[in-house]
Amino acid sequence: MLSAGSLAAAAAAPVSRDDPESSDPGRRPISTAAGSAVVVTANPLASSAALRVLKNGGTAADALVTAQAVLAVVEPQSSGLAGGGFLLYWDSQQQNLEVLDGREVAPQRSRPGDLLTPIGDPLPWREATARLDAIGIPGTVALLWEAHQQFGRLSWARSLQPAIQLASDGFLPSPRLLRSISLAQRIGAGHNQAFTALYLPGGKPPPADQAFRNPLLGRTLEALAQRGGADFYRGTLARQILREMATLQAGDPDFRGWNPTDLSSYAVLRRQPLCSEQLKHQICTMPPPSSGGMGLLQTLALLNQTTDLPGSSAADPQTWRQLARAQAWADADRLYWVHDPIDGGGPAAALLNPTYIQDRAKTMQAKPTKAPTPGLPPGIGRYPYGRPDKGREQGTTQVTIVDKFGNIASYTSSVETVFGSRHLVAGMVMNNQLTDFAFAPRINDQPVANRRLPRRRPMSSMAPTLVFRQGQPVLALGSPGGRSIPHLLSRVLLASLTWNESPQRSVGLPHLSSRGQRLVLEQDPPIPWPLPLDQLQTSDQPARQQRVGSGTALVQKINGGWHGAADPRREGTALALP
Ligand code: GLU
């Protein structure tokens, strides 16, 4: 079935922008659940704590606060209080889709070249992830606080209780947590003493059979429970964070530090969802500063132009090949154009303009061997930005919840790479999200769109998504996966909405990810490839097999009931109320 020579399995780099947490060799059965309310998270402790909240009459927002707080304790390699994220929230009573942007921002003293070497070259990506300059002002607590105030029914303090208890009393570390600690050690964690003391006691990951505690994080969560989310930005906790950052700064003379207004001026931003009619559904996703949402919609739009979708199935090589091509062409646009709309808005809508999509599909089909380059969307007559050279520049989690009132939360949350910067402050993993900016602010005498500037949010690939039919939500999903996120989500949506696969098969079928001139075909997928892999080999894109680190959390309405499925590539668990 497989032509061994041409499709050799390749060892992936331990972490990269395409796989910021590396792919996990753990494999579990695909967790599914169905009922009147469903929660899907990347960890069984987070899913069961969130389900209890739903059982006690909480909304999807209350359950989300609990899930994220528990994940900060039990899955700290992927998300936490000192990270950032995006929330799409369907408010069933108001029949309204809200979008909350809790992305990290660059501190006021940032300079465009902070992640360049003294001679002006981009720092190697992995080295940059450990820099204090990589840490963005966190948005997660502000986002949770906003979601609680706007959509919550239960008390904030009560929603944080399960996490406080797990951090203080301890829990058995999961196999994936222990593997992630080893990975952090391999990529470098020695630069932060608090990190190594907690996660690498005696130079090794903690024992698997003993309760693991993080009392400092327990105290931080307790402070938040007592004083509310604002304490993180303007209260006692803010002062503690600033003090600890100043202590770290003493060891890094180049870092210019945070000032109190960096924290006090942080704001969650309300945005308009980016929506488009694709695969016979209205698909709504995250707008800029995410490029993942735009990339997802553009991929599906290009696929629609070039493939007989009604006649396609998972066994049809042509659909897979066109999917790969569409991913690559969508990447060329999103990675060039999309940036924080703070300075006038990116051209996300223009990049989805039907005439533009038709033209672009024609170019894509006419030149199959040409490396994709960004297009010029309507209304833009020239290329205003320098084109980052992908080759030179070189953890996230998804929670999806539907409650019994019909509210839906699709939330992607991140500390960027595995354990973020591997710096701990007040027991919290500090993100390295600012490595999502282009490191070189100018290329060929032109500014780069996604360059680092004070108070800006770095371009993201995270794309929490909701799908509607006749105005009502029928599916919600999202995934980690760094730059591969729109690739992963386009494949899952194709399976659910066009191939009519079950939630379980939709998350478990193999992934394909087009990475520049190389095509990654998932090695050892949870559900085997439904076609011979040599049918996917093309002359323009050499393919290789590699593990893929997706973590899809999906809920879907089928025959009036909600069904959830968790990606078996991580430790995800779906649970439901009857
Ligand atoms: N930092 C990435 C982004 O915002 C997400 C990383 C991941 O998915 O692990 O696009």
Side-chain angles (χ1 to χ4, degrees):
M1 197 163 162
L2 191 82
S3 57
S6 58
L7 273 174
V15 288
S16 71
R17 277 182 164 168
D18 292 307
D19 279 313
E21 291 180 75
S22 189
S23 39
D24 195 82
R27 225 358 94 73
R28 297 153 46 93
I30 302 175
S31 170
T32 57
S36 60
V38 178
V39 35
V40 188
T41 82
N43 181 282
L45 293 168
S47 291
S48 56
L51 192 77
R52 280 197 300 277
V53 173
L54 295 181
K55 208 184 236 163
N56 293 334
T59 62
D62 295 312
L64 174 66
V65 171
T66 299
Q68 171 65 92
V70 169
L71 288 168
V73 179
V74 303
E75 200 205 25
Q77 70 269 37
S78 299
S79 76
L81 304 178
F86 298 137
L87 172 66
L88 258 64
Y89 198 85
W90 172 250
D91 180 343
S92 173
Q93 201 173 6
Q94 299 293 325
Q95 294 280 293
N96 185 36
L97 181 62
E98 290 270 2
V99 177
L100 296 184
D101 171 350
R103 185 74 164 163
E104 296 88 338
V105 302
Q108 285 158 15
R109 293 188 197 127
S110 292
R111 290 159 303 184
D114 278 336
L115 293 177
L116 296 176
T117 65
I119 58 161
D121 286 335
L123 280 173
W125 177 76
R126 213 197 292 178
E127 190 184 323
T129 63
R131 290 290 176 103
L132 295 171
D133 274 317
I135 308 177
I137 308 300
T140 297
V141 172
L143 184 149
L144 295 179
W145 181 240
E146 183 67 35
H148 156 74
Q149 288 187 308
Q150 212 186 327
F151 306 114
R153 285 189 178 196
L154 304 185
S155 93
W156 166 259
R158 193 168 148 194
S159 298
L160 293 181
Q161 269 319 304
I164 295 172
Q165 210 171 339
L166 284 161
S168 317
D169 299 350
F171 62 97
L172 285 182
S174 74
R176 184 169 157 255
L177 173 54
L178 295 175
R179 283 194 294 271
S180 294
I181 294 172
S182 299
L183 179 59
Q185 187 173 29
R186 259 165 64 213
I187 65 173
H191 53 278
N192 186 283
Q193 201 259 323
F195 185 92
T196 43
L198 180 68
Y199 290 112
L200 290 160
K204 291 199 303 280
D209 56 355
Q210 284 173 31
F212 174 80
R213 293 180 185 78
N214 184 348
L216 289 178
L217 182 56
R219 255 177 264 158
T220 297
L221 283 159
E222 187 68 60
L224 284 176
Q226 283 174 17
R227 297 195 284 268
D231 197 58
F232 189 100
Y233 297 93
R234 287 180 284 279
T236 315
L237 199 49
R239 288 192 285 281
Q240 182 185 351
I241 294 169
L242 291 168
R243 252 191 336 268
E244 292 194 30
M245 284 300 290
T247 306
L248 292 173
Q249 187 184 353
D252 180 352
D254 291 337
F255 176 57
R256 287 151 56 102
W258 292 3
N259 63 39
T261 55
D262 278 322
L263 285 173
S264 64
S265 66
Y266 183 86
V268 173
L269 299 179
R270 205 166 293 277
R271 300 199 184 271
Q272 286 303 314
L274 188 64
C275 299
S276 166
E277 191 78 22
Q278 299 298 336
L279 307 180
K280 300 202 163 101
H281 291 75
Q282 175 81 349
I283 301 181
C284 292
T285 184
M286 191 67 205
S290 172
S291 69
M294 204 291 293
L296 168 64
L297 295 175
Q298 221 195 39
T299 300
L300 297 176
L302 291 171
L303 189 64
N304 185 45
Q305 292 290 322
T306 54
T307 314
D308 167 29
L309 284 175
S312 89
S313 77
D316 165 29
Q318 181 62 7
T319 307
W320 287 96
R321 282 199 295 263
Q322 289 296 354
L323 177 64
R325 195 161 286 156
Q327 290 175 350
W329 282 75
D331 276 0
D333 264 354
R334 73 183 180 100
L335 297 175
Y336 176 77
W337 288 108
V338 181
H339 56 92
D340 185 343
I342 193 171
D343 48 8
L351 290 167
L352 292 168
N353 173 294
T355 315
Y356 175 69
I357 292 290
Q358 279 165 15
D359 288 349
R360 193 112 171 110
K362 268 188 218 136
T363 316
M364 173 175 109
Q365 293 301 81
K367 300 181 184 161
T369 55
K370 179 179 178 280
T373 50
L376 276 177
I380 301 184
R382 65 179 188 95
Y383 290 98
Y385 303 123
R387 206 169 290 177
D389 174 353
K390 231 186 148 195
R392 280 186 70 205
E393 296 197 356
Q394 246 313 253
T396 302
T397 205
Q398 171 70 23
V399 177
T400 311
I401 302 174
V402 54
D403 65 26
K404 62 180 182 208
F405 313 107
N407 304 305
I408 302 174
S410 177
Y411 170 71
T412 316
S413 173
S414 176
V415 288
E416 217 303 287
T417 193
V418 61
F419 282 103
S421 60
R422 285 89 73 209
H423 280 289
L424 283 197
V425 164
M428 303 180 291
V429 169
M430 302 306 280
N431 69 81
N432 67 295
Q433 217 68 247
L434 303 189
T435 58
D436 277 354
F437 282 120
F439 290 7
R442 294 186 73 81
I443 288 179
N444 295 337
D445 280 338
Q446 280 187 303
V448 172
N450 176 37
R451 65 198 179 280
R452 178 186 178 112
L453 290 173
R455 313 217 47 73
R456 253 190 168 203
R457 297 171 189 227
M459 187 269 284
S460 167
S461 295
M462 299 188 294
T465 297
L466 259 80
V467 177
F468 294 82
R469 199 164 45 219
Q470 289 158 359
Q472 292 304 305
V474 292
L475 191 150
L477 83 168
S479 178
R483 285 194 175 171
S484 313
I485 290 173
H487 308 168
L488 308 174
L489 298 183
S490 57
R491 207 289 285 130
V492 177
L493 285 178
L494 189 61
S496 301
L497 302 179
T498 301
W499 299 340
N500 292 319
E501 297 282 3
S502 64
Q504 186 173 1
R505 285 184 53 86
S506 293
V507 302
L509 278 165
H511 281 298
L512 142 166
S513 172
S514 190
R515 299 178 181 174
Q517 287 303 82
R518 187 175 289 288
L519 180 63
V520 168
L521 303 175
E522 185 173 10
Q523 180 188 356
D524 191 21
I527 295 175
W529 279 95
L531 72 176
L533 282 191
D534 42 18
Q535 293 188 358
L536 301 182
Q537 182 79 285
T538 56
S539 56
D540 51 310
Q541 249 193 341
R544 75 170 179 202
Q545 285 189 278
Q546 194 176 301
R547 286 183 179 277
V548 171
S550 72
T552 308
L554 177 147
V555 300
Q556 186 174 3
K557 199 169 197 178
I558 302 170
N559 299 330
W562 285 99
H563 293 244
D567 202 317
R569 297 167 184 85
R570 296 193 175 194
E571 294 168 335
T573 307
L575 296 173
L577 294 180

